[in-house]
């Protein structure tokens, strides 16, 4: 990448992303059930020496392809089994994504200032900051999407097959990351090239080569899929990829939400930039050049498809945030006014949030804040008030300076959120209960889990034996009555009494508690446990 003065400005999004990741690594636990589940799958792959077929609770895990699990095991190969370096895996891809957004902006508009603004916007968007530091698939998936989009732009300019081949490799990487869902982000850009490319330049050969790039992507996946299908067994073979990705998204009624569901999340996903006035002023002046058309195709295609699918989750839209950062930077470039405090709406946002939290801590909240420490919340609220006030005074020389000022404010904002949520996040730390499960297993106990077990304790406790999933009270009672050394994990309400002589361990967990019952506790509390088939453990 060219070492122009503008490119050197990438240090700002790098600093914000790295600072957030370091903060998360030092302070926050890995959150159940998703982060702990994916870490446990990687851990069990290592324990069972099964690096082709992912493993969960001693059985093949078909819900996700293996690329993230391979990266986690690579981290452990380089640094030993640890927790401290894991959050830097998504961070590395997040930094690559910032560079790729910068590159794509140059490909589309050849404007280095615009490209730098796009990179800064991406690296300081709250949702992107969060997902860049947690063990999930979406930032890694974004990397492959950006590679493919960049390749398609090159393909349009150069008219060679090479960029299509690179897009095919990216498709394969995306499928190995999260399954065929990667096509939802890439295919609209490829199929609607007749709109964003100059008229007459998109010929049947474009679509033939697009088809070949799909075949290349499939070929990349087959390198893993064939040995996985041969070694994972018939059930696993039927389930992988199509059975647990496309079918799950299209047919899942567990997450069924209305068509408009994603619209309500747009302000959250694009904060704080949704409050940045130059973006809205620039939108009125946007012209539909080729680059803008491509970005709109990218955003609209993914948004419409995901809105039509019954399975909806907020993080499905994370790979669209880079495209939104490009569109925002393009709009901001159309608003080159000076002498305006464009950061004021965002300063007001910080002030309002800080004032609201501070006020709430002095009111009767019932149980609304019972999981938080009021002192921590007041410190965070006071910090937000100071941050909002500090952001109000500077008068940036132009919109780019205002943009950098707002971006720089996001790192202290994240730090204050972490401070305010410190006690609350501690309720998600499952190290202690995982250690208790490990201790019982080492003492020869069979540890039961009422209802679906998502593998949340395996890596946190470094477990090497599975937990036995039992759903019904009768089934659990029969097992406890016929086995001498039994322990049971359940998630009763927080106000349910747990006599010390009936449990090996208990701790607050999310809005409830997690209890490791002994045999007496199982028989005494089985009905209560039945009523508490926990929503806390579900997805």
């Amino acid at each position: 990448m060219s070492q122009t003065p503008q490119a050197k400005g990438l240090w700002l999004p790098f600093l914000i992303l790295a600072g957030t990741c370091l903060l998360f690594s030092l302070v926050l636990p890995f959150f159940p059930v998703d982060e702990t589940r994916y870490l446990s799958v990687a851990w069990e792959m290592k324990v069972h020496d099964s690096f082709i077929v992912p493993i969960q609770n001693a059985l093949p895990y078909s819900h996700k392809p293996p690329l993230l699990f391979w990266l986690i095991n690579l981290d452990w190969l380089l640094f030993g089994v640890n927790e401290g370096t894991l959050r830097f895996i998504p961070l590395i891809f997040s930094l690559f994504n910032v560079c790729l957004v910068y590159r794509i902006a140059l490909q589309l508009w050849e404007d280095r200032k615009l490209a730098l603004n796009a990179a800064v916007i991406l690296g300081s968007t709250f949702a992107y900051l969060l997902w860049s530091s947690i063990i999930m698939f979406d930032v890694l998936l974004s990397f492959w999407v950006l590679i493919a989009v960049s390749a398609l732009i090159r393909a349009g300019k150069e008219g060679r097959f090479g960029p299509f081949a690179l897009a095919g490799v990216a498709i394969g990487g995306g499928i190995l990351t999260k399954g065929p869902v990667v096509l939802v982000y890439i295919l609209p850009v490829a199929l609607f090239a007749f709109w964003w490319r100059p008229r007459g330049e998109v010929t049947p050969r474009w679509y033939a080569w697009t088809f070949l790039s799909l075949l290349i992507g499939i070929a990349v996946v087959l390198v893993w899929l064939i040995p996985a299908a041969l070694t994972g067994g018939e059930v696993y073979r039927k389930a992988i990829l199509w059975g647990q990705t496309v079918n799950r998204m299209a047919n899942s009624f567990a997450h069924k939400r209305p068509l408009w569901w994603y619209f309500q999340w747009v302000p959250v996903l694009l904060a704080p930039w949704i409050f940045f006035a130059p973006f809205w002023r620039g939108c009125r002046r946007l012209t539909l050049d080729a680059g803008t058309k491509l970005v709109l195709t990218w955003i609209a295609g993914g948004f419409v498809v995901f809105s039509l699918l019954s399975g909806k989750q907020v993080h499905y839209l994370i790979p669209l945030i880079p495209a939104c950062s490009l569109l925002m930077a393009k709009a901001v470039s159309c608003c080159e006014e000076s002498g305006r405090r464009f950061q004021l709406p965002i300063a007001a946002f910080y002030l309002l949030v800080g004032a609201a939290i501070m006020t709430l801590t002095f009111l009767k909240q019932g149980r609304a804040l019972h999981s938080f420490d009021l002192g921590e919340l007041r410190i965070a609220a006071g910090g937000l008030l100071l941050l909002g006030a500090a952001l109000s005074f500077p008068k940036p020389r132009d919109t780019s300076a205002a943009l950098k000022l707002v971006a720089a404010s996001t790192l202290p904002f994240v730090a204050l959120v972490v401070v305010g949520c410190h006690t609350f996040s501690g309720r998600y730390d499952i190290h202690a209960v995982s250690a208790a499960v490990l201790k019982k297993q080492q003492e020869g106990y069979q540890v039961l889990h009422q209802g679906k077990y998502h593998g949340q304790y395996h890596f946190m406790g470094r477990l090497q034996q599975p937990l036995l999933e039992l759903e019904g009270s009768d089934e659990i009672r029969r097992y406890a009555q016929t086995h001498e050394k039994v322990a049971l994990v359940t998630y009763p309400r927080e106000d349910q009494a747990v006599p010390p002589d009936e449990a090996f361990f208990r701790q607050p967990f999310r809005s409830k508690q997690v209890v490791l019952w002994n045999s007496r506790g199982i028989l005494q509390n089985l009905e209560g446990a039945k009523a508490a088939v926990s929503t806390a453990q579900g997805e």
Side-chain angles (χ1 to χ4, degrees):
M1 185 166 292
S2 174
Q3 291 298 312
T4 65
Q6 289 82 1
K8 290 178 182 176
L10 289 177
W11 68 267
L12 179 57
F14 280 17
L15 175 64
I16 297 167
L17 286 163
T20 300
C21 183
L22 183 62
L23 188 65
F24 280 26
S25 298
L26 293 174
V27 178
L28 296 184
F30 291 105
F31 286 91
V33 293
D34 287 330
E35 281 195 295
T36 52
R37 169 174 47 201
Y38 301 142
L39 290 174
S40 290
V41 171
W43 166 250
E44 290 204 65
M45 289 172 75
K46 179 179 178 61
V47 168
H48 295 279
D49 198 22
S50 176
F51 295 103
I52 298 297
V53 177
I55 303 292
Q56 185 196 56
N57 206 27
L59 294 173
Y61 177 72
S62 60
H63 289 240
K64 292 292 187 295
L67 187 55
L68 177 62
F69 310 130
W70 288 342
L71 292 172
I72 294 170
N73 273 284
L74 177 61
D75 179 279
W76 289 336
L77 178 66
L78 294 174
F79 304 108
V81 175
N82 74 96
E83 300 176 16
T85 59
L86 294 175
R87 291 199 186 279
F88 292 89
I89 297 173
L91 172 68
I92 290 171
F93 286 91
S94 179
L95 298 180
F96 279 134
N97 292 346
V98 167
C99 296
L100 286 166
V101 160
Y102 180 86
R103 176 183 172 80
I104 289 174
L106 286 180
Q107 289 177 292
L108 294 177
W109 295 296
E110 298 181 349
D111 182 337
R112 295 189 181 279
K113 186 176 179 180
L114 186 160
L116 180 58
N117 286 346
V120 171
I121 290 172
L122 176 63
S124 56
T125 301
F126 292 152
Y128 188 76
L129 278 175
L130 173 63
W131 260 269
S132 295
S133 300
I134 61 176
I135 307 298
M136 290 187 72
F137 303 88
D138 306 282
V139 167
L140 179 52
L141 184 65
S142 302
F143 169 78
W144 296 115
V145 172
L146 287 164
I147 291 282
V149 171
S150 178
L152 289 172
I153 296 169
R154 275 185 55 203
K157 292 180 177 178
E158 300 175 6
R160 298 184 300 110
F161 181 68
F164 283 99
L166 178 59
V169 173
I171 289 171
I175 295 175
L176 286 175
T177 300
K178 202 177 177 180
V181 68
V182 69
L183 299 176
V184 175
Y185 309 99
I186 297 173
L187 279 187
V189 177
L191 296 178
F192 286 84
F194 63 85
W195 190 56
W196 57 267
R197 289 295 301 156
R199 182 173 297 179
E201 290 192 7
V202 179
T203 63
R205 189 175 66 172
W206 171 278
Y207 293 102
W209 284 359
T210 298
F211 180 70
L212 287 177
S213 69
L214 283 174
L215 295 181
I216 290 173
I218 293 171
V220 169
V221 176
L222 288 178
V223 173
W224 162 73
L225 185 62
I226 291 174
L230 291 174
T231 57
E234 184 177 355
V235 174
Y236 178 74
R237 184 166 52 250
K238 290 180 178 178
I240 51 178
L241 294 182
W242 291 100
Q244 295 297 340
T245 53
V246 172
N247 289 346
R248 183 180 181 186
M249 291 177 62
N251 301 322
S252 170
F253 291 92
H255 302 296
K256 191 172 183 181
R257 286 155 175 156
L259 284 175
W260 49 264
W261 189 80
Y262 281 120
F263 282 98
Q264 66 188 336
W265 287 103
V266 170
V268 177
L269 288 168
L270 298 183
W273 300 107
I274 197 75
F275 306 116
F276 194 54
F279 163 61
W280 295 106
R281 288 171 178 268
C283 279
R284 296 198 298 266
R285 302 172 187 173
L286 273 177
T287 57
L288 285 179
D289 58 36
T292 305
K293 287 180 177 178
L294 182 147
V295 172
L296 287 173
T297 304
W298 184 357
I299 297 171
F303 195 88
V304 169
V305 172
F306 281 117
S307 295
L308 293 174
L309 296 174
S310 59
K312 294 182 176 68
Q313 296 286 357
V314 175
H315 56 84
Y316 292 170
L317 299 187
I318 294 298
L320 296 182
I321 291 181
C324 294
S325 70
L326 288 164
L327 182 64
M328 286 184 159
K330 176 61 177 173
V332 168
S333 72
C334 299
C335 179
E336 287 297 337
E337 300 178 39
S338 59
R340 301 286 294 270
R341 289 191 173 93
F342 288 122
Q343 77 277 14
L344 285 181
I346 298 173
F349 169 73
Y350 293 151
L351 290 168
L352 285 173
V353 173
I357 295 174
M358 184 68 80
T359 303
L360 194 58
T361 63
F362 287 101
L363 299 177
K364 289 184 178 179
Q365 314 99 15
R367 290 183 56 81
L369 298 180
H370 83 285
S371 298
F372 293 84
D373 181 276
L374 295 184
E376 292 172 350
L377 282 177
R378 287 166 187 155
I379 292 172
L384 286 172
L385 291 170
L386 290 175
L387 179 62
L391 193 62
S392 303
F393 290 109
K395 190 174 183 180
R397 64 181 182 278
D398 56 26
T399 51
S400 290
L403 187 144
K404 291 173 184 172
L405 184 65
V406 171
S409 73
T410 58
L411 184 53
F413 174 81
V414 170
L416 291 167
V417 171
V418 170
V419 169
C421 297
H422 181 255
T423 297
F424 174 76
S425 63
R427 298 177 70 93
Y428 290 76
D429 188 343
I430 57 174
H431 279 96
V433 61
S434 301
V437 172
L438 174 65
K439 183 171 183 291
K440 289 297 117 185
Q441 287 187 337
Q442 289 174 335
E443 291 173 354
Y445 282 78
Q446 174 62 60
V447 179
L448 314 178
H449 190 280
Q450 185 170 32
K452 176 66 177 174
Y453 171 60
H454 295 279
Q456 54 265 44
Y457 305 123
H458 261 76
F459 175 64
M460 294 296 106
R462 309 297 194 266
L463 309 185
Q464 302 204 14
Q465 302 172 35
L467 273 63
L468 181 59
E469 297 177 7
L470 295 177
E471 186 68 43
S473 297
D474 293 340
E475 196 176 10
I476 295 173
R477 182 182 293 107
R478 281 196 298 271
Y479 195 96
Q481 289 172 338
T482 55
H483 294 74
E484 183 179 353
K485 303 181 82 172
V486 177
L488 171 69
V489 179
T490 70
Y491 306 87
R493 290 172 40 169
E494 193 174 31
D495 57 0
Q496 179 178 333
V498 180
D501 61 339
E502 295 181 358
F504 296 117
F505 181 87
R506 69 163 292 278
Q507 72 168 69
F509 177 68
R510 301 174 72 163
S511 61
K512 300 187 177 183
Q513 59 181 328
V514 54
V515 180
L516 184 61
W517 301 99
N518 59 25
S519 295
R520 178 188 173 124
I522 294 173
L523 298 177
Q524 292 288 338
N525 295 276
L526 208 51
E527 292 306 315
K530 180 181 179 181
V533 175
S534 176
T535 54
Q537 57 179 302
E539 291 179 282

